[in-house]
Amino acid sequence: MTRFDEQIDRTGTDSVKWDSITHTYQADDLLPLWVADMDFLAPTPVIEAFTSYSKKGLFGYSIIPESLVQAVIDWQKRRHNYVLTKEEILFSSGVVPSIAMAVQSYTKEGESVLIHDPVYHPFAAVIKENHRNLVRSSLIEQNNHFVMDLDEMEYLITKHQVKLFILCNPHNPGGRVWSNEELIAVGNLCKKHGVIVVSDEIHQDLVFTPQSFTSFQTADPSFEEFSIVLTAATKTFNLAAIKNSMVFIKNPMLFAQFQKTQKRNMHGEINTFGYIGTEAAYNFGEAWLDELLVYLQDNVDFVKNYLAEHLPEVGLMSPEGTYLMWLDFSSFGLDDTALETHFIKKAKVVLNSGIIFGPKGSGHMRLNIACPRATLEEGLKRIVHSFK
């Protein structure tokens, strides 16, 4: 029994994952394996840091502590061999808001922004809400994982005069951890055509052995000139509620443009608990993370073995990173509405419909495995039973 086996009742905590189900699906007997947060307690040092601060009873305005900046710098160097200075770091309330800031900073209304298909669905939403032209390049399924179609990407970049490319690394929902060679190839393509790259690296710490994570900016030093990197401690340590993320920009011109947009939108102030939680997690949460990665890998293996034995018709990608699994239910012949209805009405399990991640997500569902094994097993039993 590990610390991650404890089943914690999250109902009644205003949890999006658990408490929004009744309103969304008009049912209260559903098991949530969807929204990308974890059903695990945060690291004890983080909880203690919040408690210590709260006991003081003073909740006024805060500055960004130098100790937080140093914790970020040390973490990136230690875990990812990514060297930063404090002058290259900005803070934001989240990666998605930062993507919006980047779209506003580096493109104009009507200009084209490129994303992959399928990919994390807020990418498309941000582009559309900011009145930019959405361009999708389909990922290719090869040897049971996604690869980029560089030829199609170049064709689309040229055809639509793409100004910005949003990269998801590691990839959500497919779990790919893009290799150094892949990053160099796509980076050289963007450099050739003058495309700015926004690299969403929020899942950077959630990578399984023997894979290793490479930040876009460390793949080739020249990529620093036309890219920005977004990440946070919130995905790694289950701290989504604290609303804090980082933006790494090494090109002074891109830095100034982004900072100007932040100021124009009055977007520079961060929740104090975001500062506290991030610093405590990076300084004292490493052992917890190493234990988590072992548990998540075991959960991946459990899903693969369970479905192979009980429902082999389901195709799946074995993730190299993230705690999300991309499942293919297309062999059952259901359209996307019918597939989601089946999960809600028959399986009584909530997964994310693949179609929300783009047209290429049709026939798929995204499974969140960041939960106790017993919860995961119950969800899989329900799914198998519903299709039998």
Side-chain angles (χ1 to χ4, degrees):
M1 179 106 175
T2 73
R3 69 173 92 198
F4 303 111
D5 286 307
E6 181 184 1
Q7 290 182 283
I8 302 164
D9 184 5
R10 294 183 63 188
T11 58
T13 63
D14 297 322
S15 160
V16 172
K17 185 177 185 179
W18 286 82
D19 291 327
S20 70
I21 287 177
T22 302
H23 173 75
T24 304
Y25 296 108
Q26 288 76 52
D28 56 9
D29 58 348
L30 305 177
L31 185 65
L33 296 172
W34 60 325
V35 174
D37 65 20
M38 300 189 252
D39 293 332
F40 306 134
L41 290 177
T44 300
V46 176
I47 299 171
E48 290 174 345
F50 290 149
T51 302
S52 175
Y53 179 80
S54 297
K55 283 182 176 178
K56 297 174 183 176
L58 296 168
F59 304 100
Y61 296 108
S62 298
I63 59 172
I64 300 173
E66 289 291 328
S67 54
L68 166 62
V69 177
Q70 193 59 51
V72 171
I73 291 171
D74 292 345
W75 181 266
Q76 292 298 323
K77 179 66 170 68
R78 187 167 68 249
R79 296 291 291 200
H80 306 301
N81 199 31
Y82 184 16
V83 178
L84 292 157
T85 66
K86 66 178 183 179
E87 292 79 19
E88 298 165 339
I89 301 172
L90 290 168
F91 290 88
S92 165
S93 62
V95 165
V96 174
S98 293
I99 292 172
M101 296 291 113
V103 168
Q104 293 171 20
S105 298
Y106 309 128
T107 67
K108 300 174 183 176
E109 289 195 9
E111 290 185 330
S112 295
V113 180
L114 177 67
I115 62 174
H116 282 139
D117 178 12
V119 78
Y120 182 48
H121 50 290
F123 287 12
V126 166
I127 295 165
K128 292 176 182 177
E129 290 293 335
N130 282 279
H131 308 293
R132 271 61 172 179
N133 179 42
L134 171 63
V135 181
R136 300 180 193 264
S137 175
S138 300
L139 293 171
I140 301 170
E141 191 169 339
Q142 192 176 94
N143 299 324
N144 206 33
H145 68 244
F146 283 131
V147 296
M148 302 184 207
D149 187 340
L150 295 175
D151 290 336
E152 185 193 49
M153 288 182 70
E154 183 160 32
Y155 167 76
L156 293 171
I157 287 170
T158 303
K159 177 182 178 181
H160 297 283
Q161 296 182 299
V162 168
K163 303 298 183 185
L164 188 75
F165 167 53
I166 307 173
L167 172 68
C168 195
N169 181 34
H171 178 260
N172 172 8
R176 270 307 314 276
V177 178
W178 304 113
S179 69
N180 192 70
E181 292 74 22
E182 288 171 307
L183 294 173
I184 289 174
V186 75
N188 283 334
L189 176 62
C190 291
K191 179 163 64 172
K192 174 182 175 181
H193 293 281
V195 176
I196 295 172
V197 177
V198 175
S199 187
D200 172 358
E201 302 181 1
I202 196 170
H203 292 274
Q204 62 177 187
D205 300 312
L206 301 169
V207 172
F208 304 126
T209 305
Q211 300 297 323
S212 60
F213 172 78
T214 302
S215 173
F216 182 78
Q217 290 195 340
T218 63
D220 183 323
S222 70
F223 294 173
E224 297 173 359
E225 291 304 307
F226 60 92
S227 67
I228 76 171
V229 169
L230 312 176
T231 194
T234 53
K235 193 67 67 180
T236 306
F237 297 100
N238 202 30
L239 302 171
I242 67 174
K243 300 297 181 186
N244 182 49
S245 73
M246 286 78 66
V247 185
F248 305 146
I249 311 178
K250 289 179 173 285
N251 179 321
M253 185 186 305
L254 296 181
F255 187 100
Q257 288 174 282
F258 192 98
Q259 191 175 47
K260 182 179 179 180
T261 303
Q262 276 194 317
K263 290 178 178 178
R264 188 168 66 241
N265 289 278
M266 300 299 172
H267 191 256
E269 291 189 11
I270 305 302
N271 188 324
T272 301
F273 285 90
Y275 296 149
I276 294 168
T278 298
E279 182 176 346
Y282 281 160
N283 284 339
F284 306 111
E286 201 154 5
W288 180 94
L289 173 59
D290 291 338
E291 288 180 40
L292 171 73
L293 289 171
V294 173
Y295 194 86
L296 292 177
Q297 179 64 73
D298 288 344
N299 271 1
V300 169
D301 293 339
F302 181 80
V303 172
K304 290 164 62 178
N305 293 333
Y306 194 93
L307 290 178
E309 180 178 354
H310 299 288
L311 200 63
E313 300 91 335
V314 177
L316 59 81
M317 291 186 176
S318 185
E320 299 168 338
T322 79
Y323 49 73
L324 306 165
M325 295 187 72
W326 190 235
L327 308 182
D328 183 356
F329 290 88
S330 58
S331 65
F332 293 98
L334 300 173
D335 64 32
D336 294 300
T337 301
L339 182 60
E340 182 176 22
T341 300
H342 177 95
F343 270 81
I344 300 304
K345 299 295 185 183
K346 293 185 177 181
K348 302 291 185 180
V349 181
V350 187
L351 274 63
N352 291 103
S353 294
I355 194 65
I356 69 172
F357 300 95
K360 291 296 182 180
S362 182
H364 293 71
M365 302 292 282
R366 190 189 74 173
L367 170 70
N368 180 349
I369 62 160
C371 59
R373 190 82 31 78
T375 304
L376 185 60
E377 183 174 10
E378 172 62 21
L380 293 175
K381 283 180 178 178
R382 292 188 187 192
I383 293 168
V384 169
H385 179 73
S386 73
F387 282 101
K388 292 294 186 182

